[in-house]
Amino acid sequence: MPISIFGFRALWSPYFFLTLVVLFLLYLAITVKWRDRFEGSEPLSRSELIYFSAGMLLVYITKGSPVDLLGHILFSMHMVQMAVLLLIAAPFLIKGIPVWIWRKVFAVPVLGLILRVLTKPLISVIVFSAMFSVYHLPMILDTIKLSIPLHAIFTITLFLSALFMWWPIVNKEDFAPKLNQGLHKIAYLISSAILITPACALIIFVDTPVYETYQSGEAWLQSMALCVPAGTLGVLAGAGLSGPEVFTSMPILYDQQLGGVIMKILQEIIYGVVLGRIFLTWFRHERDNADELTQKQLLERKRLAMYK
């Protein structure tokens, strides 16, 4: 059965789309039109605009397009959502917001103190890994998916923890925590990969379906209320809509195991790309420093030779 039966609102989330449009227009107003009103502001760069636009687009694709609806039907698609939202959109949004705005945010007395604590490398990587692992405990995920307020709160909290996790890698300024050396960044990302591995392994190697909200029955129908209007869902339930098997022939267990595999593979690919960029930057920096040191030594030797 095609997912188009759920209707336009469930497929494309127009209210969520309009919310993101308003946020994007506010971003342009602050960084372009009203920029001169802020002391210490700097012109918006092309790369910042591209990163922010891409981040907002990925947020809409994962949480507002048919991908979100499929994420409530298939656990494997849910894990694709998690990987894109937490591991790609989050760092893109950090890089898309100008440094002068971050500087002002961290300058707010109480908020700045909280952010400096939560973005410390050791704390941020542990908080993100714990949030991700707890979120995917069967009892927790099933409970969250049966409550719209709980789902919204936990999703936002998990996304914020992803922002905190990426901050030490992306940040290059001194007003907030950062990792200076390339080797420290490499160790940090490897630690993050290791810490979320147990959650993925549990999902991959369990031999029975563990999520009630991804199986047939009342729990699945209630969880669909997160993205389908109540009226539409009531009509479809009365017409015989029973569970995810209506939309896919994949067994529930295989879908669950595939979700764990997808999350781990995507995480390894994304981290691998970031690690490669970090290593190349670090290698070039060390090489340039070595060349500069060699040149200084040669000049010093020539100077001493002149005196002799």
Side-chain angles (χ1 to χ4, degrees), residues 87-102:
L87 304 183
I88 302 179
F92 275 18
L93 290 177
I94 294 176
K95 292 178 71 66
I97 297 176
V99 173
W100 65 268
I101 294 181
W102 286 121

Side-chain angles (χ1 to χ4, degrees), residues 22-75:
V22 170
L23 290 176
F24 185 75
L25 293 176
L26 180 62
Y27 167 83
L28 291 179
I30 293 174
T31 58
V32 180
K33 186 175 182 180
W34 300 336
R35 182 179 64 81
D36 294 337
R37 302 181 184 181
F38 300 96
E39 184 180 356
S41 64
E42 299 172 358
L44 181 67
S45 69
R46 182 179 180 183
S47 63
E48 289 169 341
L49 179 60
I50 292 174
Y51 272 119
F52 191 83
S53 301
M56 294 292 280
L57 179 61
L58 289 175
V59 170
Y60 175 70
I61 290 174
T62 55
K63 300 301 294 182
S65 75
V67 171
D68 184 50
L69 181 59
L70 286 172
H72 292 287
I73 297 173
L74 298 172
F75 183 77

